[in-house]
Amino acid sequence: EAGVVQSPRYKIIEKKQPVAFWCNPISGHNTLYWYLQNLGQGPELLIRYENEEAVDDSQLPKDRFSAERLKGVDSTLKIQPAELGDSAVYLCASSRGPSGGTEQYFGPGTRLTVT
Amino acid sequence: SQQGEEDPQALSIQEGENATMNCSYKTSINNLQWYRQNSGRGLVHLILIRSNEREKHSGRLRVTLDTSKKSSSLLITASRAADTASYFCATPLPGGSEKLVFGKGTKLTVNP
């Protein structure tokens, strides 16, 4: 089975510019997650979707970050405008159901550099 | 907030040796998961251990869970250079939350 696909793999932008990341989860996985990972740290959840509904977005900085998962499959995460502190790796993951018991499958991530 | 915390932060061993990493957490959990992350790549799920289990094996991996001490350990036996990676424990937030919280990880280096 194909894994979680993310694009782009790398992105370099100037501060105040917009940027968008795309994720295609594993087929049949209803739950989709976006994580942020800073260097030397573990992933931190930004938002979790159950199908097309965002069920946990408490860690998403809503003034500049937005996400959508149309039709409950692919998802995009957008930052507008980007700040220097947004430089990090953005990981997408999917699972069959709630993560309390089931494993999560991660994509390779998008490494964002804001200059 | 950090639920799980790995120890040590970094570990360097020779190929063939065993590697042990520990994870401590703060509140009651119903399961604990271990993930591996190779440099520049996404995380890969290794093993899930439930709160009613004390030990679980998968190939060269052995995971233990001590709920009384709120700790878990990951043992990799007969390590290989390909085991070089960061290892993270992850636990759900208390209260039946479905949010998985990761520690900072242990960076393992296996020297050939």
Side-chain angles (χ1 to χ4, degrees):
Chain A
E1 104 190 319
V4 175
V5 179
Q6 288 189 251
S7 69
R9 289 294 311 278
Y10 304 91
K11 190 74 177 178
I12 300 174
I13 60 171
E14 294 183 347
K15 62 181 181 182
K16 300 185 181 179
Q17 294 301 305
V19 65
F21 314 124
W22 176 80
C23 173
N24 178 242
I26 292 174
S27 177
H29 281 195
N30 298 322
T31 308
L32 183 146
Y33 315 79
W34 282 103
Y35 287 91
L36 177 153
Q37 186 176 25
N38 288 305
L39 190 64
Q41 304 290 318
E44 298 176 41
L45 182 69
L46 290 172
I47 189 168
R48 174 170 65 92
Y49 282 92
E50 293 292 342
N51 299 304
E52 62 272 9
E53 181 183 358
V55 295
D56 185 351
D57 63 355
S58 57
Q59 299 297 104
L60 192 71
K62 298 181 184 62
D63 57 337
R64 296 183 301 107
F65 286 64
S66 65
E68 62 181 9
R69 191 185 184 196
L70 300 176
K71 301 181 181 179
V73 181
D74 294 1
S75 177
T76 56
L77 177 68
K78 297 177 182 177
I79 308 175
Q80 183 172 11
E83 297 179 352
L84 294 176
D86 296 331
S87 293
V89 176
Y90 292 83
L91 295 166
C92 179
S94 68
S95 68
R96 292 184 181 85
S99 69
T102 58
E103 65 187 86
Q104 296 183 24
Y105 295 80
F106 283 80
T110 296
R111 183 176 296 276
L112 174 68
T113 302
V114 182
T115 63
Chain B
S1 63
Q2 205 111 32
Q3 165 75 318
E5 191 167 317
E6 293 87 347
D7 171 66
Q9 290 186 358
L11 180 61
S12 182
I13 60 174
Q14 295 299 122
E15 216 167 17
E17 295 180 340
N18 297 339
T20 300
M21 288 157 271
N22 303 297
C23 171
S24 59
Y25 56 92
K26 298 175 183 175
T27 59
S28 296
I29 57 172
N30 55 27
N31 74 83
L32 184 145
Q33 303 180 34
W34 284 92
Y35 287 79
R36 180 188 72 222
Q37 185 176 36
N38 292 90
S39 179
R41 303 181 67 174
L43 283 79
V44 174
H45 182 271
L46 295 176
I47 201 163
L48 180 152
I49 187 166
R50 302 189 187 282
S51 58
N52 61 353
E53 297 175 308
R54 291 296 170 260
E55 188 170 310
K56 203 163 183 179
H57 296 256
S58 177
R60 294 183 295 111
L61 306 180
R62 171 177 168 253
V63 168
T64 62
L65 180 63
D66 187 334
T67 53
S68 66
K69 295 181 179 178
K70 293 187 171 57
S71 67
S72 174
S73 68
L74 169 66
L75 168 68
I76 304 174
T77 59
S79 64
R80 304 167 182 167
D83 294 327
T84 295
S86 290
Y87 292 81
F88 297 89
C89 68
T91 53
L93 280 181
S97 169
E98 293 154 0
K99 178 177 176 177
L100 209 58
V101 180
F102 289 80
K104 292 184 178 181
T106 291
K107 187 175 176 63
L108 173 67
T109 302
V110 181
N111 302 300

